Amino acid sequence: MTSTSPRLVKWENGTDLVIELPLAVDIATVWSKLVDSETAGSWFASFAIGEAAGETDSAKTGGDDSDDAAGDGGESNPAITFDLGETQLHGEILSYEVEDHVLVELEDFGVLGIQLLALELTDGDATLLVFTQSAPDAESARLKAADFGPMWDTHMRLFARALGLEAVEVEEAELLALYADLELEDSEVDDSEDGANEA
């Protein structure tokens, strides 16, 4: 049975909420489920990318005449819109590499990333899904973790179930307590001095 592992990680340019989820499925399968806009509704929300996302709301997504170039290596980032039922969540895709990562910026949530790393198990291939939500500093990251961490954790476990895996059930009160007091790690090497990060 799979479960999440959250923490805060301090980098040179900010602090990330990091949630790791090991999946006993190969990367190709995880990626195909991750980018399937139709079935995304079973674990988060269905979505549209590029022109389909910006046809009626290009102003909200920051779209302009250069949107057409997004898929052709242009400077513009493709728009992405999640259908939440009564409302829509708009953003843009900042970066992606097939079967490796996707980085998006969403209204109200900021920069979010998902990276897929290969794991080797004795009984087959597996994938470590690493979700990140970026913040400018540790205090902002703690606030985001408390506000959004339980939600992201729930959606990640729903994603595991969408892959046919069993995910640990966690009570809401337990999630709230966990994400209100996450351990802060420093990405610097262990022998670096405490004063090395001067913001």
Side-chain angles (χ1 to χ4, degrees), residues 1 7-8 18 23 31 35 54 61-62 65 70 99-100 103 108 110 133 145 151 153 162 171 176 178 182:
M1 193 173 294
R7 65 191 189 281
L8 297 175
V18 177
L23 302 163
W31 179 262
V35 298
T61 58
D65 292 338
E99 297 185 10
D100 182 81
L103 189 68
D108 301 325
Q133 181 174 21
M151 177 184 69
D153 194 293
E171 295 292 330
L176 290 172
L178 173 65
L182 285 180

Side-chain angles (χ1 to χ4, degrees), residues 20-43:
E20 295 183 348
L21 179 67
L23 302 163
V25 181
D26 63 276
I27 283 183
T29 301
V30 174
W31 179 262
S32 65
K33 181 66 74 172
L34 185 67
V35 298
D36 187 326
S37 62
E38 301 262 331
T39 61
S42 67
W43 60 274

Side-chain angles (χ1 to χ4, degrees), residues 158-169:
L158 286 172
F159 180 69
R161 292 187 188 113
L163 287 164
L165 303 173
E166 289 188 52
V168 173
E169 288 288 349

Side-chain angles (χ1 to χ4, degrees), residues 37 45-54 78-83 88-89 91 93:
S37 62
S46 58
F47 61 87
I49 295 176
E51 291 182 11
I80 184 167
T81 299
F82 290 91
D83 183 0
Q88 292 183 327
L89 177 60
I93 299 173

